[in-house]
Amino acid sequence: MKRTPHLLAIQSHVVFGHAGNGAAVFPMQRVGVNVWPLNTVQFSNHTQYGQWAGEVLAPAQIPALVEGIATIGELGNCDAVLSGYLGSAAQGRAILEVVRQVKAANPHALYLCDPVMGHPEKGCSVPSEVSDFLLNEAAAVADLVCPNQLELNTFCGRAAQSLDDCVAMARLLLARGPKAVLVKHLAYPGKAAEDFEMLLVTAEGGWHLRRPLLAFPRQPVGVGDLTSGLFLARLLLGDSKVAAFEFAAAAVHEVLLETQACASYELELVRAQDRIVHPRLRFEAQRLGF
């Protein structure tokens, strides 16, 4: 029997609703990956409600918890580390220490950095020191980076002007060290309003994907966390980067269709769980010439 992959997911968690680990853990488990959730923050709900309760995990607790896993002899079974929302730059540096420890125990382990940065217009609060950490430290260590357009713009210090420009910016990020850059949501002048577009860039080439943009009174939170988690999970299960990219896009679309049908603000992960595993639609990534 083929071994089940194991993944350490270090990001935020909400008690109510779905964001961070609350959006990614169950879907990754549902597609066949053992997930070890380590919560950087535990909030009552995601911050776009405008009010929340909870606390940030002390940075020293991150390596301490992972050291506990090492002590029982299990750290070498960790196939990947995923990091997302950080409460502080100190948490980020603790995560990089964990990544080094995991890679020492398993040299084949991957590190995916989902570089969550502050977006005041979306009600997402992230300290500026976190953005600086992601730009100056995390990107050079990560094997895979999954920014959205705003985060890609921040990495490159300017706004994208076209799809070709998005590709060029992703290649600049790739030059910092990652093996792949997945831009989870493209936004550039001239993009068709009815399309949701994504981009994958590796040393081997670039791939562009379109799916329908679904309308919501308020866009659900956690879509990016879900996308990054499913992309990494499918890589661990043996998919190529392009196949994992296409699968993540299709599975997330299925979740959003169910969420829209339920007129829900929170992602309908439980109702859509079978469609996450077996998406009914497929969106083919088109190879870009460069």
Side-chain angles (χ1 to χ4, degrees), residues 7 13 72 97-98 116 156 169 197 199 238 263:
L7 184 160
H13 177 70
I72 63 172
E97 179 55 40
V98 165
V116 180
C156 296
M169 292 164 70
E197 299 185 22
L199 177 68

Side-chain angles (χ1 to χ4, degrees), residues 128-203:
S128 59
E129 65 170 23
V130 170
S131 296
D132 293 341
F133 162 78
L134 293 167
L135 289 166
N136 299 322
E137 300 178 53
V141 176
D143 298 294
L144 311 159
V145 179
C146 295
N148 59 27
Q149 185 71 63
L150 288 172
E151 291 152 358
L152 182 65
N153 292 351
T154 302
F155 272 118
C156 296
R158 62 184 178 85
Q161 298 303 308
S162 65
L163 175 59
D164 287 344
D165 200 18
C166 292
V167 173
M169 292 164 70
R171 293 182 73 184
L172 286 174
L173 180 51
L174 199 69
R176 293 182 181 225
K179 298 179 179 66
V181 174
L182 192 167
V183 187
K184 297 174 294 188
H185 181 193
L186 293 175
Y188 56 86
K191 187 188 80 67
E194 68 274 12
D195 289 339
F196 186 98
E197 299 185 22
M198 303 169 67
L199 177 68
L200 174 68
V201 176
T202 74

Side-chain angles (χ1 to χ4, degrees), residues 16 28 63 69 71 75 84-85 122 129 140 174 181 200 235 250:
F16 169 80
M28 291 191 290
I69 297 171
T71 299
L75 199 60
Y85 180 93
K122 295 176 66 177
E129 65 170 23
L174 199 69
V181 174
L200 174 68
L235 288 177

Side-chain angles (χ1 to χ4, degrees), residues 5-9 21 24-29 33-38:
H6 297 257
L7 184 160
L8 175 62
N21 273 337
V25 170
F26 173 65
M28 291 191 290
Q29 291 171 329
V33 173
N34 280 323
V35 184
W36 307 345
L38 199 167

Side-chain angles (χ1 to χ4, degrees), residues 9-14 17-28 39-40 46 82 84-85 114 116 221-226 229 267 269:
I10 312 177
Q11 56 184 333
S12 63
H13 177 70
V14 291
H18 301 292
N21 273 337
V25 170
F26 173 65
M28 291 191 290
N39 302 326
T40 54
H46 67 68
L82 182 156
Y85 180 93
D114 189 342
V116 180
V221 171
V223 176
D225 306 318
L226 176 61
L267 294 174
L269 298 176

Side-chain angles (χ1 to χ4, degrees), residues 256-274:
L256 290 173
L257 284 172
E258 189 67 34
T259 303
Q260 185 187 59
C262 294
S264 175
Y265 180 38
E266 294 286 348
L267 294 174
E268 291 289 342
L269 298 176
V270 174
R271 292 180 66 96
Q273 61 180 292
D274 292 337

